[in-house]
Amino acid sequence: MKVDKKIIVRVLAIVLSYALITFLLRMGLLNRQYTALLIPIGVNIMLAVSLNLVTGFLGELSLGHAGFMSIGAYAGALFSLHVEMPALPSILLAMVIGGVTAAVFGFLIGVPVLRLRGDYLAIVTLAFGEIIKSVLNALSFTNGARGLSKIPLNANYEHYTIVFIAVVITVLVIANVVDSRHGRAVCSVRDNYIAAESVGIHVSRFKILAFVIGAFFAGVAGAIYAHNVGIIKPTTFDYNQSIEILVIVVLGGMGSIKGSIIAAIILTALPEVLRGADDMRMLLYSIALIAMILINQSGFKEKLLERFHSGKKQKAGE
Amino acid sequence: MKNVIEQLINGLSTGSIYALIALGYTMVYGIARMINFAHGDIIMVGAYALYVGVSLMNLPIAAAILLSIIVCAVLGITVEKVAYKPLRKAPPLAVLITAIGVSFLLQNLALLIFKATPIPFQSVIQVPSVSIGGITISGVTIVTLVMTLISMVILTLFINQTRAGSAMRAVSEDKGAAELMGINVNRTISQTFAIGSVLAAIAGILYICQYQSLRPTLGALPGIKAFVAAVLGGIGNVPGAMLGGIVLGLIESIAKAYISTELSDAIVFGVLVVVLLVRPSGLLGKLKNEKV
């Protein structure tokens, strides 16, 4: 039996990174600041990879990803606050509940919204993010603007194994979806939806599929976030949060899962390393965002490469 | 009844600010086929420029207003040249992300320079309020309505009567054909950005006189709402933006007064969703079929 090389690499990467985290934690090589980064890195990987499915592979800009994260966070947190259970089943159920609730909302929002494309879709997802925020602010069982607190910390760094598994599942599911027949259909919608439609691909069905999967994992990530921090407020999940996820996706490379993972790790750890420059963080993000697009999309890169290659040729000709 | 009329006048005044901002969105969309996400933040820059002019440089009010308008116009043109022009042929997603980046850049620059604490600002409009039949209308509201009306009349005349205006209409109809007719497309696009930014500056000044507090994010929400207004009226359509802005202002003010203050934003965005689903081309827009 021939084993796919890709699978070996993936399994190795998973095992090694888990071993590395365990080693670092057990040996006490990480101080408290860095330990506190573990779970946020996991959460950001999940958010970035799930947004990448919608933005990178489906090609639609969703500016409401933080909205789905908030739904998952609230659903999961409300569950743990109201149902007494041992820690492990409780967090597992909270994650599932968070994910499913977010997916249901993703479906309800997606069915009407995904008839739109491009700019309009981006704005409507933004609008939904804001609607979710103001509804959470107005409802009484979510405790309004004060938010929920004293959420059991069932997903903090001591429970890193659960979070690690959740991250791995997220990445594997999305990578497999992208590699599958459905995934290729999703990509074809991005590349040319008219052509896709004319060869019989049900465009809106695949849009909703990608959107719902994205929402599900954002919800799971939200639930983990809630059980790591312990306090959630509607303002935690604002437009800035959505943009931060988008920055990770764009910097990592749209349509590259590996890129999203690496960018999520770097961009989560960077603010902690560059503590003094915290005011500059969002400024740098925005500059990076603009620069990245300008370099990749304006033909600048091609020109540079061309010059580089022709220079080489000239040298070879001498 | 008195209360209702007062709410309607409030709505008219907020709505006219939205209309001014929406005009910028709609004109830029009509010509460059892109949503200028940074438009809302131009309002913020206009408001801060006014603050710098009046409070820090002690300029006379007219000069400060002029300063604010010039700063915004220059900023609008610069943003277009640096961030959007190289991407004319890029996919829309790339342009949209850049626009979001520019919006974020402006907000965070303001945050760095002026800090996050809101700065109180005394209104520069010193017009006494008027009372008609027991209904009081504040001076700011009157000035807002009058200024909006004047701006819209000038804009309509400009678009329909001048050479530059007809060049704009030509470019928005067919860029390639306009270029063949000898229209300088790049200059026309720059002009559009400049005009949109000037309108945003005026909106920013009026906004800041109403709310009297400066924050780096002050432009974000009116910006998005004005976008909703532009879509409501039919994006790319100038009279549509005016109508959409005023309708949205009225909806918001009534929702705030009679439904719920907290949910008023949700209602405004709900309007956007409903419009896009029921009539994606807006109230006055024409529906275009996409061709392969």
Side-chain angles (χ1 to χ4, degrees), chain B residues 40-292:
Chain B
D41 300 291
I42 306 250
I43 305 163
M44 177 270 295
V45 173
Y48 273 102
L50 183 73
Y51 161 75
V52 169
V54 172
S55 303
L56 304 183
M57 289 159 66
N58 291 321
L59 293 175
I61 288 165
I65 290 176
L66 199 64
L67 172 82
S68 154
I69 288 177
I70 291 173
V71 166
C72 284
V74 171
L75 181 68
I77 295 174
T78 319
V79 165
E80 196 272 329
K81 285 262 185 283
V82 175
Y84 303 151
K85 199 178 161 205
L87 297 175
R88 289 268 163 80
K89 291 193 183 77
L93 190 62
V95 186
L96 198 55
I97 293 176
T98 320
I100 291 170
V102 172
S103 151
F104 239 57
L105 181 68
L106 293 178
Q107 275 180 29
N108 284 292
L109 275 178
L111 190 66
L112 215 59
I113 300 170
F114 297 103
K115 306 295 172 228
T117 340
I119 303 172
F121 183 74
Q122 191 73 41
S123 166
V124 293
I125 299 172
Q126 309 286 351
V127 179
S129 55
V130 177
S131 191
I132 309 167
I135 298 160
T136 332
I137 309 171
S138 71
V140 177
T141 308
I142 296 170
V143 174
T144 305
L145 293 175
V146 171
M147 277 302 295
T148 310
L149 198 66
I150 294 173
S151 313
M152 285 180 181
V153 169
I154 294 177
L155 184 73
T156 313
L157 287 177
F158 174 81
I159 292 177
N160 291 318
Q161 307 288 335
T162 61
R163 273 183 79 86
S166 49
M168 260 173 212
R169 278 180 295 140
V171 173
S172 85
E173 210 146 279
D174 190 328
K175 210 185 277 177
E179 202 158 18
L180 289 175
M181 292 297 145
I183 291 171
N184 186 339
V185 172
N186 279 334
R187 196 207 291 155
T188 311
I189 291 180
S190 289
Q191 277 168 359
T192 311
F193 270 84
I195 291 172
S197 304
V198 167
L199 292 172
I202 296 172
I205 293 166
L206 295 171
Y207 187 83
I208 206 63
C209 289
Q210 242 178 49
Y211 293 92
Q212 313 205 341
S213 150
L214 289 152
R215 284 169 298 119
T217 50
L218 77 87
L221 207 54
I224 297 172
K225 285 185 183 163
F227 177 80
V228 176
V231 173
L232 181 65
I235 197 151
N237 185 311
V238 172
M242 302 178 189
L243 179 68
I246 285 167
V247 169
L248 197 76
L250 292 174
I251 292 175
E252 188 188 89
S253 144
I254 289 167
K256 253 188 195 149
Y258 300 107
I259 302 175
S260 150
T261 324
E262 281 153 333
L263 285 178
S264 69
D265 285 354
I267 291 167
V268 167
F269 293 124
V271 168
L272 171 75
V273 176
V274 171
V275 169
L276 284 177
L277 295 176
V278 178
R279 200 180 151 78
S281 51
L283 294 173
L284 301 184
K286 285 187 218 96
L287 196 61
K288 273 186 199 152
N289 270 332
E290 204 161 333
K291 289 178 196 141
V292 184

Side-chain angles (χ1 to χ4, degrees), chain A residues 309-318:
Chain A
H309 285 304
S310 64
K312 245 188 192 168
K313 255 181 225 159
Q314 270 175 7
K315 265 188 190 161
E318 277 169 9

Side-chain angles (χ1 to χ4, degrees), chain A residues 11 19 50 72 107 115 156 178 185 196 282 285 288:
Chain A
V11 170
S50 57
F107 183 75
R115 284 168 51 191
N156 66 1
V178 170
M282 294 316 270
Y285 278 9

Side-chain angles (χ1 to χ4, degrees), chain A residues 10-78:
Chain A
R10 278 183 188 174
V11 170
L12 266 179
I14 293 166
V15 172
L16 281 179
S17 46
Y18 184 75
L20 182 71
I21 297 170
T22 314
F23 175 73
L24 288 174
L25 273 178
R26 286 282 153 78
M27 303 298 284
L29 290 175
L30 294 176
N31 61 17
R32 203 193 266 169
Q33 273 173 21
Y34 289 100
T35 322
L37 278 178
L38 276 180
I39 307 300
I41 286 178
V43 168
N44 277 344
I45 292 177
M46 294 176 74
L47 288 170
V49 172
S50 57
L51 182 65
N52 205 346
L53 180 67
V54 178
T55 300
F57 293 100
L58 182 65
E60 294 292 4
L61 188 55
S62 167
L63 297 175
H65 217 56
F68 294 123
M69 184 186 169
S70 71
I71 291 175
Y74 269 91
L78 283 170

Side-chain angles (χ1 to χ4, degrees), chain A residues 55 59-61 63 112-113 115-117 119-120 122-124 126-128 130-131 134-135 137-138 193-194 239-240 243 246 250 254 279-280 282-283 286-287 289-290 293-294 297-298, chain B residues 29 33-35 37 82-83 86-87 90-94 96-98 100-102 104-105 108-109 112 221 224 227 231 235 262-263 265-266 269-270 272-273 276-277 280 290-292:
Chain A
T55 300
E60 294 292 4
L61 188 55
L63 297 175
V113 163
R115 284 168 51 191
L116 308 165
R117 279 183 299 112
D119 303 345
Y120 284 110
I123 299 281
V124 172
L126 194 163
F128 267 113
E130 294 293 317
I131 291 175
S134 48
V135 169
N137 239 327
Y193 85 103
I194 295 175
Y239 175 57
N240 281 16
I243 298 291
L246 181 71
V250 173
M254 278 188 281
D279 299 346
M280 305 284 282
M282 294 316 270
L283 189 69
S286 55
I287 293 173
L289 201 61
I290 300 171
I293 297 284
L294 282 182
Q297 302 281 356
S298 66
Chain B
Y29 187 88
R33 296 283 152 209
M34 62 162 289
I35 293 174
F37 238 96
V82 175
L87 297 175
L93 190 62
L96 198 55
I97 293 176
T98 320
I100 291 170
V102 172
F104 239 57
L105 181 68
N108 284 292
L109 275 178
L112 215 59
L221 207 54
I224 297 172
F227 177 80
V231 173
I235 197 151
E262 281 153 333
L263 285 178
D265 285 354
F269 293 124
L272 171 75
V273 176
L276 284 177
L277 295 176
E290 204 161 333
K291 289 178 196 141
V292 184

